[in-house]
């Protein structure tokens, strides 16, 4: 297939057009990331006036620190739960709205609204709903014998941040799944129905495989979301507590660096977090993408 190639009369014009984006990337990503890597190999004095090179000391201590290893395990549980919950509900809502003809746009608008809510507001919303004293959901849980108190119970606190983070991400997944469902050819669905396939079998054997590129894309986006964009939700709901029960990696970086002023260890944690996400992304592209049908 012939492709058109854009030719600029001025050789400098492409570089000038790219310059703003390159400058933003350099200032807000490359330079801070480079400073984090540099700081992870240094130890600063209490006043931040000088730094000495300590090699891999911070990394070695982190890998032997039970608090860091515990935070790593909690992050895995949190990431898996939020990704599965938000993607599953997003797919269910998209499948339901896709069957509506007249009021589909109304439901789509209502389901997209949570995505416009700031993460800290989403966290505060669910904090009020599950407040052990005045929360509506905590009251109903108490009526069925569940004494909800995320201020003292670590399991309750983890469930709270999982629900808040998943609710915030459902709208994003819903939009992509709905777009994917609307692109599935109706002729395939009708042919399968004529052959006697029921709705569930048609969905599992035709629709779901055709959604695999969208599912794979959302899987990567959701994992990255749980690793980096959930800081505000944790800070607004539990603050990492009780007793470190919700102190996931991204919040521990903030706690050790900004509150504890241990910049070397905090920088090493941010570098390890970046490496973890990079390794997970490579694994997803290397092994999971093989099952995707384009």
């Amino acid at each position: 297939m012939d492709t058109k190639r854009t030719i600029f009369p001025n050789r400098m014009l492409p570089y000038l057009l790219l310059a703003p984006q390159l400058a933003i990337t350099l200032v807000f990503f490359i330079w801070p990331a480079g400073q984090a890597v540099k700081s992870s190999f240094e130890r600063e004095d209490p006043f931040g006036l000088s730094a000495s090179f300590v090699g891999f000391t911070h990394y070695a201590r982190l890998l032997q620190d039970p608090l860091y290893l515990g935070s790593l395990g909690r992050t895995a549980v949190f990431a898996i739960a939020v990704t599965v919950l938000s993607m599953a509900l997003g797919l269910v809502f998209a499948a339901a709205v896709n069957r509506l003809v007249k009021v589909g746009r109304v439901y789509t608008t209502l389901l997209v609204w949570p995505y416009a809510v700031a993460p800290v507001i989403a966290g505060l919303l669910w904090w009020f709903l599950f407040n052990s004293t005045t929360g509506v959901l905590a009251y109903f849980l108490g009526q069925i014998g569940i004494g909800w108190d995320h201020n003292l119970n670590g399991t309750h606190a983890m469930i709270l941040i999982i629900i808040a983070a998943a609710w915030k991400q459902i709208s994003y997944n819903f939009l992509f799944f709905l777009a994917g469902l609307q692109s599935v050819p109706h002729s395939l669905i009708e042919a399968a129905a004529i052959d006697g396939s029921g709705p569930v079998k048609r969905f599992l054997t035709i629709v779901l495989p055709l959604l695999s590129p969208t599912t794979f894309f959302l899987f990567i986006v959701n994992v990255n979301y749980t690793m980096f964009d959930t800081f505000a939700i944790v800070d607004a709901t539990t603050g990492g507590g009780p007793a470190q029960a919700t102190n996931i990696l991204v919040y521990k970086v903030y706690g050790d660096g900004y509150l504890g002023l241990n910049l070397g260890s905090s920088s090493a944690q941010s570098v390890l977090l970046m490496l973890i996400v990079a390794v997970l992304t490579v694994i997803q592209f290397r092994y999971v993408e093989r099952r995707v049908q384009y």
Side-chain angles (χ1 to χ4, degrees), residues 130-146:
F130 278 103
N131 187 284
S132 57
T133 304
T134 59
V136 175
L137 295 180
Y139 170 78
F140 286 118
L141 289 173
Q143 295 300 307
I144 59 175
I146 300 176

Side-chain angles (χ1 to χ4, degrees), residues 56-280:
F56 289 92
T57 302
H58 296 306
Y59 294 97
R61 287 181 178 175
L62 283 176
L63 297 178
Q64 298 175 353
D65 184 3
L67 292 178
Y68 181 77
L69 298 178
S71 178
L72 188 64
R74 284 188 292 273
T75 303
V77 172
F78 175 74
I80 293 172
V82 172
T83 301
V84 172
L85 185 61
S86 63
M87 289 185 65
L89 290 178
L91 179 59
V92 169
F93 290 146
V97 171
N98 191 46
R99 297 178 64 86
L100 299 175
V101 179
K102 294 183 179 179
V103 293
R105 291 185 178 181
V106 176
Y107 280 100
T108 301
T109 303
L110 294 176
L111 287 169
V112 167
W113 276 358
Y115 190 66
V117 177
V120 65
I121 301 301
L124 286 174
L125 171 66
W126 286 99
W127 182 86
F128 277 115
L129 291 174
F130 278 103
N131 187 284
S132 57
T133 304
T134 59
V136 175
L137 295 180
Y139 170 78
F140 286 118
L141 289 173
Q143 295 300 307
I144 59 175
I146 300 176
W148 182 273
D149 191 350
H150 59 261
N151 294 314
L152 298 176
N153 190 311
T155 303
H156 291 176
M158 177 59 76
I159 294 174
L160 172 60
I161 64 170
I162 288 173
I163 292 175
W167 177 80
K168 180 71 177 67
Q169 192 67 1
I170 285 174
S171 302
Y172 185 88
N173 297 332
F174 163 77
L175 282 177
F176 279 88
F177 276 131
L178 182 61
L181 287 171
Q182 291 177 344
S183 66
V184 174
H186 290 286
S187 58
L188 294 178
I189 306 295
E190 292 171 356
I194 294 173
D195 289 340
S197 297
V200 176
K201 188 176 182 180
R202 293 199 300 268
F203 184 82
L204 295 177
T205 57
I206 298 176
V207 177
L208 206 55
L210 292 176
L211 282 179
S212 55
T214 304
T215 306
F216 176 66
F217 165 75
L218 290 177
F219 181 59
I220 294 176
V221 170
N222 279 265
V223 170
N224 283 277
Y225 162 75
T226 58
M227 291 289 181
F228 293 114
D229 293 342
T230 50
F231 165 80
I233 291 175
V234 177
D235 191 53
T237 52
T238 63
Q244 308 287 322
T246 56
N247 196 13
I248 59 177
L249 288 178
V250 67
Y251 198 78
K252 185 170 172 55
V253 170
Y254 159 78
D256 290 354
Y258 188 77
L259 301 178
L261 298 180
N262 190 350
L263 297 181
S265 177
S266 177
S267 298
Q269 291 177 45
S270 64
V271 173
L272 288 176
L273 180 59
M274 186 167 54
L275 291 176
I276 290 171
V277 173
V279 169
L280 287 176

